[in-house]
Amino acid sequence: MSSQDALSNVKVLCFDVGNTLVGFGNDQARVVDAHIKNTLRNVLNIPCSDDQYNKSWVEEIERPFQKGVDFFENSIDVNYRMMISQLCELTNIEEPVISDEELSRLCDLRRDAFSDSVAMLPETPAVLQALKDKGYILCVFSNYPCGQTVRDIITKSGTNHLFDFVIASGDFNRVKPHASVFEEVASRVKEAHGYNKSEIMYVGDTPLCDIVGPLNAGFGAACLYTRYKLYDSRDYSYLGMKNYEPTIIVENFSELLEHL
């Protein structure tokens, strides 16, 4: 099927969040990192260096993509406990006793730091509204270990009324590109509107998660959004997934209206 035929069949648009609906670059990462490091050092009294923190943070991000893990993702509270344990080991201190209630409070603060650090570009809400006005069904699925964080971001943007649903990997303990997360999106769309997977286009910034993943799962189209140029280009060939090229590539969000 040609790209134009695939696009003409699209009825549903499913969006990534980070570096698609909102920017999450170095400035935003510094805000979140500063919050977490302050918590570790000044609340939990773990004297970790920046290098030790960065090592633990990268391991958290990459853990679901390791061989044999099958894209399983821990919840944000489990990830936080693992980070604390690892940093205590690296700094040779006794791990502090943290109740579930206290950990939940720290996770809430981390969630707020993340959602407060990001924002949509001024053009994005208008483009989403225009797509909605054209009759497209809009929804969100994003990789993040806390679904509530993603919903907070969308709510704060004032666009939550445009989306049928907003879900994240943290709601299912699986990350994109695992087929099950796209099956969840397709199931919700089918139940609410009767559309098939072939009528859904995914829009995101990462070739593996946002192009290869949905197209392997049977979505009809996938759009690579390159405005932020921070997408992951690492070699994931060991995962054994069939490679796909994006149906379309756009650099500005408004270009979606030219294709749809």
Side-chain angles (χ1 to χ4, degrees), residues 4-21:
Q4 190 54 50
D5 288 340
L7 291 174
S8 66
N9 195 44
V10 170
K11 305 294 191 302
V12 181
L13 301 173
C14 185
F15 293 91
D16 181 34
V17 173
N19 291 327
T20 302
L21 291 179

Side-chain angles (χ1 to χ4, degrees), residues 162-247:
L162 298 175
F163 298 105
D164 262 39
F165 55 86
V166 177
I167 52 179
S169 56
D171 296 319
F172 309 101
N173 295 116
R174 282 288 187 277
V175 299
K176 299 175 296 179
H178 196 272
S180 66
V181 302
F182 298 108
E183 291 291 346
E184 177 64 28
V185 170
S187 175
R188 292 184 181 219
V189 167
K190 182 75 171 178
E191 182 176 352
H193 302 284
Y195 294 133
N196 297 315
K197 285 191 291 185
S198 61
E199 297 171 289
I200 305 174
M201 179 166 82
Y202 196 88
V203 182
D205 69 301
T206 307
L208 173 69
C209 295
D210 304 334
I211 307 300
V212 173
L215 292 179
N216 265 284
F219 279 24
C223 169
L224 184 65
Y225 180 50
T226 64
R227 179 186 184 98
Y228 296 97
K229 296 182 175 62
L230 295 171
Y231 45 80
D232 191 347
S233 60
R234 286 172 293 181
D235 179 14
Y236 287 112
S237 58
Y238 67 85
L239 295 173
M241 300 184 74
K242 181 180 178 181
N243 193 32
Y244 283 94
E245 294 298 317
T247 311

Side-chain angles (χ1 to χ4, degrees), residues 106-168:
L106 295 177
C107 288
D108 287 345
L109 293 173
R110 174 175 168 174
R111 183 185 76 206
D112 291 344
F114 185 92
S115 61
D116 289 344
S117 72
V118 298
M120 286 187 178
L121 291 171
E123 69 171 347
T124 302
V127 173
L128 292 171
Q129 183 65 64
L131 291 168
K132 188 77 171 177
D133 291 344
K134 283 189 169 192
Y136 291 102
I137 305 301
L138 310 182
C139 58
V140 170
F141 185 92
S142 187
N143 277 355
Y144 195 70
C146 175
Q148 190 57 49
T149 301
V150 175
R151 287 183 281 276
D152 287 349
I153 290 169
I154 299 301
T155 298
K156 289 177 181 179
S157 75
T159 61
N160 54 310
H161 64 288
L162 298 175
F163 298 105
D164 262 39
F165 55 86
V166 177
I167 52 179

